[in-house]
Amino acid sequence: GAVVSQHPSRVICKSGTSVKIECRSLDFQATTMFWYRQFPKQSLMLMATSNEGSKATYEQGVEKDKFLINHASLTLSTLTVTSAHPEDSSFYICSARTPGQGNNQPQHFGDGTRLSIL
Amino acid sequence: GNSVTQMEGPVTLSEEAFLTINCTYTATGYPSLFWYVQYPGEGLQLLLKATKADDKGSNKGFEATYRKETTSFHLEKGSVQVSDSAVYFCALKGSARQLTFGSGTQLTVLP
């Protein structure tokens, strides 16, 4: 149980293109999802926390107009990288928190999306 | 703020060797501590966790003990296998209930 599907797994596109990445919880409802970015040989950095039905909470230094997050249902959150540039090339990973009391439920991670901007 | 410092890689071992990956943390209060593993081409998976001091998390032959006095959560395995080759991340979850990750340690096990 607790499977998170992330799509696409890899995207290669031209500079200036907007790219949408989907994160789905397949067998549970996730009121909270997280988006991370991983630079080569570096750690995962939390970009934003996505709450169903409300605006995402962005971490300091993350441009909300650049990285649009929509959590329109209890099983789907999307991250759109708008007008992507080569410096946006990275590995993006989502996670979904299983439902339960409080905020200490485990997170389950998607397989990630490798974004390459030419 | 919270931070996690883990042993820099890459680490290369022969099969059946003993593994230690060091992890230390800085946090206020009493965080929960985690080790995640990322196999090639896959997402993160929770490997083990410990939620309070002196707890030992274990899974798949890996162990880590929550040491509050040394603020450490070192990952160990007595005999590694080729299939253990992956990137290992130490992480903590503090009072804000958000995960803070270390930089990851690449492990390669040679046959």
Side-chain angles (χ1 to χ4, degrees), chain A residues 42-88:
Chain A
Q42 294 188 33
S43 181
L44 288 168
M45 300 298 297
L46 178 65
M47 298 174 65
T49 302
S50 167
N51 293 296
E52 186 269 335
S54 63
K55 291 183 178 180
T57 303
Y58 289 81
E59 296 300 300
Q60 191 172 9
V62 178
E63 299 176 59
K64 60 180 66 177
D65 294 332
K66 174 75 171 177
F67 300 99
L68 300 178
I69 292 173
N70 186 345
H71 193 159
S73 78
L74 287 171
T75 60
L76 174 64
S77 176
T78 60
L79 168 68
T80 301
V81 183
T82 61
S83 187
H85 292 284
E87 59 266 28
D88 298 323

Side-chain angles (χ1 to χ4, degrees), chain B residues 61-83:
Chain B
F62 291 89
E63 292 183 341
T65 302
Y66 189 142
R67 300 287 188 199
K68 190 162 179 62
E69 64 276 15
T70 54
T71 61
S72 65
F73 193 54
H74 304 321
L75 181 68
E76 296 182 337
K77 186 172 186 180
S79 176
V80 293
Q81 305 300 312
V82 173
S83 57

